């Protein structure tokens, strides 16, 4: 890897890179503790914070891919035989290593992706938390015992590791989503091959550096945690029968292709795709809570979360007041360098995202949308990357084509309703089904929203927003969000295969349906 004008990188990023060992590698291909020298194409990481090039990394070649996959296959044979609690102990040490490097890794996440420093540090904390969760899980990979209908027979089920888990992650959470998968897969006995977004490769390199020391100290087989960088890698993994499970985070468009490709070879998928998340504001809502939940949900990470609040469905009796409160709040938002803690909103990931933001606003206008808070691209020395935009609020109709789509930007559509039944219908009447929320003090509305006739999303909240999730609960959504679940609860079952066992401890062999042979 070659750093570009590393001494001129601002905000202490050069020091963070040094602490994370970025200068010690020259490739984006790793089998765990070893980096593979590659002659693949150069990929340049550019920060949306200021438009500066951070470093270049060599993409993995087809030869690198084969090397990594074979190494992973060999590692699985040894790793699966290590008792799960022993695997959990190694993951515990990974968590401790992440605690040690939380500050520099959080700063790199913030600078390379463009999210606020607080969010960057929070993302690393999520990695630490999932390691803690996985440690306990390593002693709780439970199966069931069932009573057999046959005398002196015992039935039970057990869970075995799948093999190689392919993890394809998105730019908006450069490290956390990988860890949600990897930490759980490791304690389940799987090995992992990670293909990060090519927009944030250095975060992945840093993670590999951090965990490699832990693996080396514990004599972990080479290949338990592999890294492959390059856009072509995803297609190779999706078509590779040696990868029984693909966890993909990204757009619905690409997710549909991933699902079809993997299904053709009877592989498994965990799909975390688009969100079109809504908050319902009841006439019984506490508007102070609504303000906090909506603003953070709509503008956090500059609207680049899958759980971002994209629609606000407001009861007609509090509609005007809610809009006024939001307009006042949006007027006080500070946009700028995300490493400055006084700023609330950072940049979009690149100029392509900026264009999509502008196109969405124009499309909303054409369909009849009314601008409540004007958007636009910010210019000047403080916004030199050209990736900073104003959070925008548009009064719209749920039937608008653009409202039915997910735009990864800080655009909030506001809608009006009369009854809670109508509000729930509006909430559900989009193709996506990730996160949802209602703000109300009315118990009946709460329960109706959470009932089977309520929200159709994988996440449904009351008096908190749509954005953010705790690792203890399963994360994921329905419909075009993909139906996958990651992180907590019993999501671990996706990384293992179930086996039903029957033991006959009698001296005879009774056959099903009373069948008998004459011998």
């Amino acid at each position: 890897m070659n750093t570009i004008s590393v001494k001129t990188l601002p905000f202490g990023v050069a020091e963070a890179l040094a602490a994370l060992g970025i200068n010690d590698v020259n490739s984006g291909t790793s089998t765990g503790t070893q980096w593979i020298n590659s002659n693949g194409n150069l990929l340049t990481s550019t920060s949306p914070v200021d438009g500066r090039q951070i470093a270049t990394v060599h993409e993995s070649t087809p030869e690198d891919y084969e090397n990594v996959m074979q190494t992973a296959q060999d590692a699985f044979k040894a790793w699966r035989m290590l008792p799960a609690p022993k695997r959990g102990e190694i993951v515990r040490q990974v968590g401790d290593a992440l605690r040690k490097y939380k500050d520099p890794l959080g700063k790199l996440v913030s600078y390379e992706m463009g999210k606020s420093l607080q969010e960057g540090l929070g993302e690393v904390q999520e990695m630490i938390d999932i390691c803690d969760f996985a440690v306990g899980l390593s002693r709780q990979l439970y199966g069931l015992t069932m009573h057999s209908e046959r005398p002196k027979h015992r039935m039970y089920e057990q869970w075995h590791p799948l093999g190689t888990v392919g993890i394809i992650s998105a730019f908006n959470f450069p490290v956390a989503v990988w860890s949600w998968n990897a930490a759980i897969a490791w304690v389940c006995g799987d090995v992992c091959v990670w293909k990060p977004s090519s927009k944030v490769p250095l975060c992945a390199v840093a993670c590999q550096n951090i965990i490699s020391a832990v693996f080396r100290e514990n004599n972990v087989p080479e290949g338990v945690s592999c890294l492959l960088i390059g856009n072509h890698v995803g297609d190779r993994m999706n078509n590779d029968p040696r990868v029984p499970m693909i966890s993909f985070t990204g757009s619905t468009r690409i997710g549909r292709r991933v699902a079809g490709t993997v299904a053709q070879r009877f592989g498994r998928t965990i799909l975390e795709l688009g969100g079109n998340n809504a908050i319902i504001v009841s006439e019984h809502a506490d508007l102070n809570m609504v303000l906090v939940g909506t603003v953070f949900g709509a503008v956090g990470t500059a609207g680049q979360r899958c759980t971002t609040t994209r629609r606000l469905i407001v009861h007609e009796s509090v509609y005007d007041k809610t809009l006024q409160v939001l307009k006042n709040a949006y007027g006080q938002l500070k946009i700028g360098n995300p490493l400055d803690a006084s700023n609330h909103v950072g940049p979009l990931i690149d100029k392509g995202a900026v264009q999509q933001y502008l196109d969405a606003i124009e499309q909303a206008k054409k369909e009849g949308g009314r601008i409540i808070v004007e958007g636009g691209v910010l210019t000047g020395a403080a916004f030199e990357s050209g990736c900073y935009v104003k959070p925008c609020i548009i009064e719209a109709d749920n039937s608008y084509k653009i409202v039915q789509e997910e735009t990864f930007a800080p655009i909030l559509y506001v809608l009006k309703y009369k009854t809670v039944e109508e509000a729930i219908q509006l909430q559900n009447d989009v193709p996506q089904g990730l996160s949802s929320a209602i703000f109300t003090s009315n118990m009946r509305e709460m329960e109706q929203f959470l009932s089977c006739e309520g929200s159709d999303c994988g996440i449904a909240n009351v008096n908190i927003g749509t954005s953010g999730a705790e690792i203890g609960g399963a994360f994921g959504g329905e419909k075009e969000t993909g139906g996958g679940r990651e992180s907590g609860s019993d999501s671990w079952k996706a990384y293992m295969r179930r086996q039903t066992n029957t033991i006959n401890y009698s001296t005879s062999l009774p056959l099903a349906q009373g069948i008998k042979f004459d011998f």
Side-chain angles (χ1 to χ4, degrees):
M1 176 173 296
N2 301 305
T3 53
I4 300 174
S5 302
V6 66
K7 293 181 180 179
T8 68
L9 292 176
F11 321 125
V13 175
E15 292 78 3
L17 291 173
L20 295 167
I22 294 295
N23 290 321
D24 293 337
V25 299
N26 59 12
S27 173
T29 307
S30 173
T31 54
T33 64
Q34 298 177 8
W35 290 95
I36 299 174
N37 289 325
S38 176
N39 60 0
N41 296 329
L42 278 178
L43 178 67
T44 300
S45 172
T46 302
S47 172
V49 174
D50 53 16
R52 301 192 191 197
Q53 294 181 338
I54 309 172
T56 57
V57 57
H58 281 279
E59 294 182 323
S60 306
T61 65
E63 292 75 22
D64 297 334
Y65 179 89
E66 287 302 320
N67 187 340
V68 163
M69 281 300 170
Q70 186 57 58
T71 304
Q73 294 283 297
D74 294 341
F76 173 62
K77 296 173 184 178
W79 181 247
R80 66 184 176 183
M81 298 306 296
L82 193 67
K86 297 293 185 182
R87 298 192 295 258
E89 165 58 20
I90 294 169
V91 172
R92 184 194 66 78
Q93 295 176 38
V94 170
D96 285 345
L98 290 169
R99 286 181 173 90
K100 179 180 177 181
Y101 290 100
K102 179 178 177 179
D103 286 344
L105 182 56
K107 181 166 286 188
L108 177 58
V109 168
S110 176
Y111 187 65
E112 189 175 32
M113 185 268 153
K115 62 176 58 178
S116 72
L117 180 57
Q118 297 94 319
E119 290 182 87
L121 295 170
E123 187 169 343
V124 180
Q125 186 61 49
E126 285 193 39
M127 302 174 75
I128 296 167
D129 292 343
I130 197 65
C131 286
D132 288 347
F133 181 89
V135 174
L137 177 64
S138 69
R139 296 181 182 270
Q140 300 178 76
L141 302 175
Y142 300 134
L144 299 174
T145 298
M146 290 78 75
H147 288 282
S148 173
E149 64 185 29
R150 292 164 287 188
K152 295 187 178 182
H153 282 62
R154 182 167 68 88
M155 293 178 63
Y156 72 98
E157 67 179 23
Q158 60 180 331
W159 296 82
H160 294 304
L162 280 178
T164 300
V165 172
I167 305 170
I168 303 174
S169 61
F171 75 86
N172 59 331
F173 280 84
V175 294
V177 174
W178 163 73
S179 70
W180 290 358
N181 287 273
I184 303 301
W186 287 334
V187 298
C188 288
D190 299 315
V191 300
C192 298
V193 178
W194 181 18
K195 185 270 174 195
S197 167
S198 294
K199 296 180 180 181
V200 285
L202 302 186
C203 290
V205 171
C207 288
Q208 197 74 359
N209 279 344
I210 291 170
I211 65 175
S212 65
V214 175
F215 283 9
R216 192 177 294 111
E217 291 170 3
N218 287 274
N219 297 314
V220 172
E222 197 71 23
V224 169
S225 179
C226 302
L227 178 66
L228 287 163
I229 290 177
N231 288 331
H232 69 91
V233 171
D235 283 340
R236 290 182 181 277
M237 284 203 296
N238 295 334
N239 284 282
D240 195 336
R242 294 172 294 183
V243 186
M245 206 268 279
I246 295 287
S247 174
F248 173 81
T249 303
S251 70
T252 297
R253 180 178 62 85
I254 302 298
R256 185 174 284 110
R257 190 173 75 195
V258 171
T261 300
V262 178
Q264 281 189 327
R265 59 177 179 84
F266 298 103
R268 301 188 191 181
T269 53
I270 296 176
L271 301 174
E272 299 290 355
L273 311 178
N276 197 344
N277 317 295
I279 291 177
I280 297 173
V281 181
S282 164
E283 59 186 311
H284 307 291
D286 181 331
L287 291 187
N288 290 324
M289 295 176 69
V290 170
L291 177 64
V292 174
T294 302
V295 173
F296 176 71
V299 309
T301 325
Q304 297 173 114
R305 291 183 178 217
C306 51
T307 53
T308 290
T309 304
R310 308 207 179 276
R311 295 175 296 140
L312 192 67
I313 305 170
V314 187
H315 190 271
E316 60 182 3
S317 67
V318 292
Y319 186 81
D320 292 338
K321 186 176 181 180
T322 301
L323 286 192
Q324 189 57 54
V325 168
L326 281 174
K327 286 175 67 175
N328 293 341
Y330 269 53
Q332 299 174 51
L333 290 175
K334 295 180 180 178
I335 306 169
N337 179 353
L339 281 89
D340 182 343
S342 66
N343 290 324
H344 304 112
V345 184
L348 294 178
I349 186 64
D350 55 28
K351 291 182 179 178
V354 172
Q355 190 58 53
Q356 290 176 351
Y357 157 86
L358 293 173
D359 291 345
I361 293 175
E362 286 305 308
Q363 180 64 29
K365 290 179 181 178
K366 289 180 182 178
E367 294 190 63
R370 182 171 71 93
I371 302 297
I372 303 298
V373 174
E374 191 75 42
V377 181
L378 294 168
T379 58
F383 313 109
E384 58 186 318
S385 69
C387 296
Y388 292 85
V389 301
K390 298 177 185 178
C392 176
I393 300 178
I394 303 174
E395 186 178 61
D397 189 277
N398 206 57
S399 63
Y400 292 174
K401 183 176 182 294
I402 192 63
V403 176
Q404 292 285 309
E405 299 174 356
E406 178 188 47
T407 302
F408 237 45
I411 301 174
L412 178 66
Y413 302 107
V414 290
L415 319 169
K416 188 185 296 185
Y417 79 91
K418 292 183 178 181
T419 68
V420 69
E421 290 80 11
E422 178 190 0
I424 292 172
Q425 179 60 38
L426 289 170
Q427 139 67 38
N428 292 343
D429 194 18
V430 291
Q432 309 84 0
L434 179 53
S435 187
S436 58
I438 187 171
F439 279 82
T440 182
S441 59
N442 184 296
M443 184 65 72
R444 288 180 175 175
E445 289 184 336
M446 294 181 191
E447 293 297 335
Q448 186 172 353
F449 179 73
L450 298 176
S451 73
C452 62
E453 63 178 358
S455 170
D456 64 0
C457 294
I459 299 169
N461 298 328
V462 175
N463 293 329
I464 64 171
T466 63
S467 192
E470 293 187 35
I471 58 92
F475 180 87
E478 301 300 323
K479 302 190 295 187
E480 288 192 1
T481 301
R485 293 297 186 274
E486 295 171 328
S487 190
S489 186
D490 64 349
S491 297
W492 61 271
K493 293 180 178 179
Y495 304 88
M496 305 193 80
R497 58 182 177 87
R498 187 197 310 251
Q499 185 181 79
T500 301
N501 308 114
T502 303
I503 298 173
N504 177 5
Y505 58 96
S506 73
T507 57
S508 61
L509 182 56
L511 302 178
Q513 289 84 44
I515 296 174
K516 294 183 179 180
F517 289 103
D518 295 327
F519 53 74

Short mmCIF file of all heavy atoms in Angstrom, two decimals, residues 391-430:
data_model
loop_
_atom_site.label_atom_id
_atom_site.label_comp_id
_atom_site.label_asym_id
_atom_site.label_seq_id
_atom_site.Cartn_x
_atom_site.Cartn_y
_atom_site.Cartn_z
N PRO A 391 -29.65 19.09 4.24
CA PRO A 391 -30.82 18.24 4.50
C PRO A 391 -32.09 18.93 4.02
O PRO A 391 -32.27 20.13 4.24
CB PRO A 391 -30.80 18.06 6.01
CG PRO A 391 -29.36 18.21 6.39
CD PRO A 391 -28.84 19.28 5.47
N CYS A 392 -32.95 18.17 3.38
CA CYS A 392 -34.11 18.73 2.68
C CYS A 392 -35.39 18.07 3.19
O CYS A 392 -35.40 16.88 3.51
CB CYS A 392 -33.94 18.47 1.19
SG CYS A 392 -35.30 18.99 0.14
N ILE A 393 -36.46 18.86 3.30
CA ILE A 393 -37.77 18.33 3.67
C ILE A 393 -38.75 18.68 2.54
O ILE A 393 -38.82 19.82 2.10
CB ILE A 393 -38.28 18.92 5.00
CG1 ILE A 393 -37.31 18.59 6.14
CG2 ILE A 393 -39.68 18.37 5.31
CD1 ILE A 393 -37.73 19.16 7.48
N ILE A 394 -39.50 17.67 2.10
CA ILE A 394 -40.44 17.84 0.99
C ILE A 394 -41.80 17.28 1.39
O ILE A 394 -41.91 16.13 1.82
CB ILE A 394 -39.94 17.12 -0.28
CG1 ILE A 394 -38.55 17.62 -0.67
CG2 ILE A 394 -40.93 17.31 -1.43
CD1 ILE A 394 -37.93 16.86 -1.83
N GLU A 395 -42.84 18.09 1.25
CA GLU A 395 -44.21 17.61 1.43
C GLU A 395 -44.59 16.82 0.18
O GLU A 395 -44.46 17.32 -0.94
CB GLU A 395 -45.16 18.80 1.63
CG GLU A 395 -46.58 18.39 1.97
CD GLU A 395 -47.46 19.60 2.20
OE1 GLU A 395 -47.60 20.41 1.25
OE2 GLU A 395 -47.99 19.76 3.31
N ALA A 396 -45.04 15.59 0.37
CA ALA A 396 -45.22 14.70 -0.78
C ALA A 396 -46.41 13.79 -0.56
O ALA A 396 -47.07 13.81 0.49
CB ALA A 396 -43.96 13.88 -1.01
N ASP A 397 -46.66 12.97 -1.57
CA ASP A 397 -47.68 11.94 -1.49
C ASP A 397 -46.98 10.59 -1.54
O ASP A 397 -46.01 10.41 -2.29
CB ASP A 397 -48.66 12.07 -2.66
CG ASP A 397 -49.86 11.15 -2.49
OD1 ASP A 397 -49.74 9.96 -2.84
OD2 ASP A 397 -50.89 11.62 -2.01
N ASN A 398 -47.47 9.64 -0.76
CA ASN A 398 -46.82 8.34 -0.68
C ASN A 398 -46.79 7.61 -2.03
O ASN A 398 -45.95 6.74 -2.25
CB ASN A 398 -47.52 7.46 0.35
CG ASN A 398 -46.60 6.41 0.94
OD1 ASN A 398 -45.56 6.73 1.49
ND2 ASN A 398 -46.98 5.15 0.81
N SER A 399 -47.68 7.99 -2.93
CA SER A 399 -47.76 7.31 -4.23
C SER A 399 -46.71 7.80 -5.22
O SER A 399 -46.53 7.18 -6.27
CB SER A 399 -49.15 7.50 -4.83
OG SER A 399 -49.40 8.88 -5.10
N TYR A 400 -46.04 8.91 -4.90
CA TYR A 400 -45.00 9.39 -5.82
C TYR A 400 -43.97 8.29 -6.06
O TYR A 400 -43.55 7.61 -5.12
CB TYR A 400 -44.27 10.61 -5.25
CG TYR A 400 -45.08 11.88 -5.13
CD1 TYR A 400 -44.52 12.99 -4.51
CD2 TYR A 400 -46.37 11.98 -5.63
CE1 TYR A 400 -45.23 14.18 -4.38
CE2 TYR A 400 -47.10 13.15 -5.50
CZ TYR A 400 -46.53 14.26 -4.87
OH TYR A 400 -47.23 15.42 -4.74
N LYS A 401 -43.54 8.17 -7.29
CA LYS A 401 -42.54 7.15 -7.62
C LYS A 401 -41.27 7.35 -6.81
O LYS A 401 -40.68 6.39 -6.31
CB LYS A 401 -42.22 7.21 -9.12
CG LYS A 401 -41.25 6.15 -9.61
CD LYS A 401 -41.07 6.22 -11.11
CE LYS A 401 -40.13 5.13 -11.61
NZ LYS A 401 -38.76 5.31 -11.12
N ILE A 402 -40.83 8.60 -6.65
CA ILE A 402 -39.59 8.86 -5.94
C ILE A 402 -39.72 8.55 -4.44
O ILE A 402 -38.75 8.14 -3.80
CB ILE A 402 -39.13 10.33 -6.15
CG1 ILE A 402 -37.69 10.52 -5.66
CG2 ILE A 402 -40.07 11.31 -5.47
CD1 ILE A 402 -36.66 9.71 -6.41
N VAL A 403 -40.92 8.71 -3.90
CA VAL A 403 -41.14 8.40 -2.49
C VAL A 403 -41.11 6.89 -2.26
O VAL A 403 -40.74 6.41 -1.18
CB VAL A 403 -42.48 9.00 -2.01
CG1 VAL A 403 -42.78 8.59 -0.57
CG2 VAL A 403 -42.45 10.53 -2.11
N GLN A 404 -41.46 6.13 -3.27
CA GLN A 404 -41.44 4.67 -3.18
C GLN A 404 -40.02 4.11 -3.26
O GLN A 404 -39.80 2.94 -2.97
CB GLN A 404 -42.28 4.07 -4.30
CG GLN A 404 -43.77 4.34 -4.17
CD GLN A 404 -44.43 3.48 -3.11
OE1 GLN A 404 -44.26 2.26 -3.08
NE2 GLN A 404 -45.17 4.11 -2.21
N GLU A 405 -39.07 4.94 -3.64
CA GLU A 405 -37.69 4.51 -3.79
C GLU A 405 -36.84 4.96 -2.60
O GLU A 405 -37.22 5.89 -1.87
CB GLU A 405 -37.10 5.09 -5.08
CG GLU A 405 -37.82 4.64 -6.34
CD GLU A 405 -37.31 5.35 -7.59
OE1 GLU A 405 -36.45 6.25 -7.45
OE2 GLU A 405 -37.81 5.03 -8.68
N GLU A 406 -35.71 4.31 -2.42
CA GLU A 406 -34.76 4.72 -1.40
C GLU A 406 -33.68 5.60 -2.04
O GLU A 406 -32.99 5.16 -2.96
CB GLU A 406 -34.09 3.51 -0.74
CG GLU A 406 -33.05 3.89 0.30
CD GLU A 406 -32.27 2.69 0.81
OE1 GLU A 406 -31.82 1.88 -0.04
OE2 GLU A 406 -32.08 2.57 2.03
N THR A 407 -33.55 6.82 -1.57
CA THR A 407 -32.45 7.70 -1.98
C THR A 407 -31.51 7.84 -0.80
O THR A 407 -31.91 8.31 0.27
CB THR A 407 -32.97 9.08 -2.42
OG1 THR A 407 -33.91 8.93 -3.48
CG2 THR A 407 -31.81 9.96 -2.87
N PHE A 408 -30.27 7.44 -0.96
CA PHE A 408 -29.31 7.45 0.13
C PHE A 408 -28.79 8.88 0.34
O PHE A 408 -27.66 9.22 -0.04
CB PHE A 408 -28.16 6.50 -0.20
CG PHE A 408 -27.96 5.43 0.83
CD1 PHE A 408 -29.04 4.72 1.35
CD2 PHE A 408 -26.69 5.10 1.29
CE1 PHE A 408 -28.86 3.73 2.30
CE2 PHE A 408 -26.50 4.11 2.23
CZ PHE A 408 -27.59 3.42 2.75
N ALA A 409 -29.61 9.71 0.94
CA ALA A 409 -29.28 11.13 1.13
C ALA A 409 -30.26 11.70 2.14
O ALA A 409 -31.31 11.11 2.42
CB ALA A 409 -29.38 11.88 -0.20
N PRO A 410 -29.97 12.88 2.71
CA PRO A 410 -30.82 13.46 3.75
C PRO A 410 -32.05 14.18 3.18
O PRO A 410 -32.16 15.41 3.23
CB PRO A 410 -29.88 14.43 4.48
CG PRO A 410 -28.93 14.88 3.42
CD PRO A 410 -28.72 13.67 2.54
N ILE A 411 -32.96 13.39 2.60
CA ILE A 411 -34.23 13.92 2.09
C ILE A 411 -35.35 13.28 2.90
O ILE A 411 -35.45 12.05 2.98
CB ILE A 411 -34.42 13.59 0.60
CG1 ILE A 411 -33.29 14.17 -0.25
CG2 ILE A 411 -35.77 14.11 0.11
CD1 ILE A 411 -33.33 13.76 -1.71
N LEU A 412 -36.19 14.11 3.51
CA LEU A 412 -37.30 13.63 4.32
C LEU A 412 -38.62 14.04 3.66
O LEU A 412 -38.86 15.22 3.40
CB LEU A 412 -37.23 14.23 5.73
CG LEU A 412 -38.36 13.85 6.69
CD1 LEU A 412 -38.31 12.36 7.01
CD2 LEU A 412 -38.28 14.67 7.97
N TYR A 413 -39.47 13.04 3.36
CA TYR A 413 -40.79 13.31 2.79
C TYR A 413 -41.81 13.32 3.92
O TYR A 413 -41.83 12.41 4.76
CB TYR A 413 -41.15 12.24 1.76
CG TYR A 413 -40.17 12.12 0.62
CD1 TYR A 413 -39.29 11.04 0.52
CD2 TYR A 413 -40.09 13.12 -0.35
CE1 TYR A 413 -38.39 10.95 -0.53
CE2 TYR A 413 -39.19 13.02 -1.40
CZ TYR A 413 -38.34 11.93 -1.48
OH TYR A 413 -37.43 11.85 -2.51
N VAL A 414 -42.68 14.35 3.96
CA VAL A 414 -43.70 14.44 4.99
C VAL A 414 -45.08 14.20 4.38
O VAL A 414 -45.39 14.71 3.29
CB VAL A 414 -43.66 15.78 5.74
CG1 VAL A 414 -42.42 15.87 6.61
CG2 VAL A 414 -43.70 16.95 4.78
N LEU A 415 -45.90 13.40 5.07
CA LEU A 415 -47.22 13.01 4.63
C LEU A 415 -48.22 13.28 5.76
O LEU A 415 -47.85 13.30 6.93
CB LEU A 415 -47.25 11.53 4.26
CG LEU A 415 -46.03 10.95 3.50
CD1 LEU A 415 -46.10 9.44 3.48
CD2 LEU A 415 -45.98 11.50 2.09
N LYS A 416 -49.48 13.43 5.41
CA LYS A 416 -50.52 13.73 6.40
C LYS A 416 -51.51 12.58 6.47
O LYS A 416 -51.83 11.95 5.46
CB LYS A 416 -51.24 15.03 6.00
CG LYS A 416 -52.21 15.57 7.04
CD LYS A 416 -52.97 16.78 6.49
CE LYS A 416 -52.04 17.94 6.21
NZ LYS A 416 -52.81 19.16 5.79
N TYR A 417 -52.03 12.30 7.70
CA TYR A 417 -53.03 11.25 7.84
C TYR A 417 -54.12 11.67 8.83
O TYR A 417 -53.95 12.60 9.62
CB TYR A 417 -52.38 9.94 8.28
CG TYR A 417 -52.05 9.84 9.76
CD1 TYR A 417 -52.96 9.29 10.67
CD2 TYR A 417 -50.81 10.26 10.26
CE1 TYR A 417 -52.67 9.18 12.02
CE2 TYR A 417 -50.51 10.16 11.61
CZ TYR A 417 -51.43 9.62 12.48
OH TYR A 417 -51.14 9.52 13.82
N LYS A 418 -55.25 10.91 8.78
CA LYS A 418 -56.38 11.19 9.65
C LYS A 418 -56.57 10.13 10.73
O LYS A 418 -56.87 10.44 11.88
CB LYS A 418 -57.67 11.30 8.83
CG LYS A 418 -57.73 12.51 7.91
CD LYS A 418 -59.07 12.57 7.17
CE LYS A 418 -59.14 13.81 6.28
NZ LYS A 418 -60.45 13.92 5.57
N THR A 419 -56.44 8.86 10.38
CA THR A 419 -56.64 7.77 11.35
C THR A 419 -55.37 6.94 11.43
O THR A 419 -54.56 6.88 10.49
CB THR A 419 -57.80 6.86 10.93
OG1 THR A 419 -57.44 6.15 9.73
CG2 THR A 419 -59.06 7.68 10.68
N VAL A 420 -55.20 6.24 12.56
CA VAL A 420 -54.01 5.43 12.73
C VAL A 420 -53.99 4.28 11.72
O VAL A 420 -52.92 3.85 11.26
CB VAL A 420 -53.89 4.91 14.17
CG1 VAL A 420 -54.98 3.88 14.48
CG2 VAL A 420 -52.51 4.33 14.44
N GLU A 421 -55.16 3.80 11.34
CA GLU A 421 -55.22 2.74 10.31
C GLU A 421 -54.67 3.25 8.99
O GLU A 421 -53.92 2.53 8.29
CB GLU A 421 -56.66 2.26 10.13
CG GLU A 421 -57.23 1.47 11.29
CD GLU A 421 -57.71 2.35 12.44
OE1 GLU A 421 -57.80 3.60 12.27
OE2 GLU A 421 -58.01 1.80 13.52
N GLU A 422 -55.02 4.48 8.65
CA GLU A 422 -54.49 5.08 7.43
C GLU A 422 -52.98 5.26 7.52
O GLU A 422 -52.25 5.00 6.54
CB GLU A 422 -55.16 6.44 7.19
CG GLU A 422 -54.65 7.17 5.95
CD GLU A 422 -55.14 8.60 5.86
OE1 GLU A 422 -55.88 9.06 6.76
OE2 GLU A 422 -54.77 9.28 4.87
N ALA A 423 -52.50 5.68 8.68
CA ALA A 423 -51.06 5.89 8.87
C ALA A 423 -50.29 4.59 8.69
O ALA A 423 -49.24 4.55 8.04
CB ALA A 423 -50.79 6.48 10.25
N ILE A 424 -50.80 3.52 9.28
CA ILE A 424 -50.13 2.22 9.16
C ILE A 424 -50.14 1.75 7.71
O ILE A 424 -49.15 1.19 7.21
CB ILE A 424 -50.79 1.19 10.09
CG1 ILE A 424 -50.52 1.56 11.55
CG2 ILE A 424 -50.28 -0.22 9.79
CD1 ILE A 424 -51.28 0.71 12.56
N GLN A 425 -51.25 1.99 7.01
CA GLN A 425 -51.32 1.62 5.60
C GLN A 425 -50.28 2.38 4.79
O GLN A 425 -49.60 1.80 3.93
CB GLN A 425 -52.72 1.89 5.06
CG GLN A 425 -52.90 1.56 3.58
CD GLN A 425 -52.63 0.10 3.26
OE1 GLN A 425 -52.98 -0.78 4.05
NE2 GLN A 425 -52.00 -0.16 2.12
N LEU A 426 -50.13 3.68 5.06
CA LEU A 426 -49.11 4.47 4.37
C LEU A 426 -47.72 3.95 4.70
O LEU A 426 -46.86 3.83 3.82
CB LEU A 426 -49.23 5.94 4.77
CG LEU A 426 -50.43 6.71 4.23
CD1 LEU A 426 -50.55 8.07 4.90
CD2 LEU A 426 -50.32 6.88 2.70
N GLN A 427 -47.49 3.66 5.96
CA GLN A 427 -46.19 3.13 6.39
C GLN A 427 -45.84 1.85 5.61
O GLN A 427 -44.72 1.69 5.14
CB GLN A 427 -46.22 2.88 7.89
CG GLN A 427 -45.55 1.62 8.39
CD GLN A 427 -44.06 1.61 8.22
OE1 GLN A 427 -43.42 2.64 8.39
NE2 GLN A 427 -43.51 0.46 7.87
N ASN A 428 -46.81 0.97 5.47
CA ASN A 428 -46.56 -0.33 4.84
C ASN A 428 -46.57 -0.28 3.32
O ASN A 428 -46.08 -1.21 2.66
CB ASN A 428 -47.60 -1.34 5.31
CG ASN A 428 -47.47 -1.69 6.79
OD1 ASN A 428 -46.44 -1.44 7.40
ND2 ASN A 428 -48.53 -2.25 7.36
N ASP A 429 -47.12 0.78 2.75
CA ASP A 429 -47.34 0.82 1.31
C ASP A 429 -46.11 1.28 0.53
O ASP A 429 -46.15 2.24 -0.23
CB ASP A 429 -48.53 1.73 1.00
CG ASP A 429 -49.04 1.56 -0.43
OD1 ASP A 429 -48.70 0.52 -1.05
OD2 ASP A 429 -49.74 2.45 -0.94
N VAL A 430 -45.00 0.59 0.76
CA VAL A 430 -43.76 0.76 -0.02
C VAL A 430 -43.16 -0.63 -0.21
O VAL A 430 -43.48 -1.56 0.54
CB VAL A 430 -42.75 1.69 0.70
CG1 VAL A 430 -43.26 3.13 0.74
CG2 VAL A 430 -42.45 1.19 2.10
#
